[in-house]
Amino acid sequence: MDVRIGVTQAPREVTAEIPDDERDRVKKAIDAALSGASDTLWLEDKRGRLIAVPAAKIAYIEIGSADGDRRIGFGG
């Protein structure tokens, strides 16, 4: 699954591809960060890289499937 995180005062969003079997764990980590129970949102992507985002700087989070509807070109 793909996770995109908008960070306040940052020009680009943070993107990570997370294994699909980690969906529940990622949702719990996001809930903890947004509720204030955790100061930092930690995610680990498919390549084993750790990503940290300060919870106070999170503007939005999008969770989607990795093989979703991706279009290439000018088609409608």
Side-chain angles (χ1 to χ4, degrees):
M1 78 179 162
D2 289 329
V3 177
R4 288 186 280 179
I5 304 169
V7 181
T8 58
Q9 299 183 4
R12 294 182 4 186
E13 60 191 15
V14 176
T15 59
E17 192 171 341
I18 309 291
D20 287 333
D21 59 342
E22 296 286 319
R23 181 178 292 269
D24 291 334
R25 188 188 65 76
V26 169
K27 283 184 175 181
K28 287 179 185 176
I30 291 170
D31 285 341
L34 294 178
S35 70
S38 169
D39 292 334
T40 306
L41 172 62
W42 284 96
L43 299 174
E44 184 175 355
D45 70 0
K46 283 188 173 181
R47 296 180 181 179
R49 295 181 294 190
L50 289 173
I51 301 164
V53 180
K57 297 291 185 178
I58 295 174
Y60 65 89
I61 298 177
E62 292 180 2
I63 299 175
S65 65
D67 25 321
D69 186 23
R70 294 188 181 184
R71 297 182 192 160
I72 299 175
F74 298 100

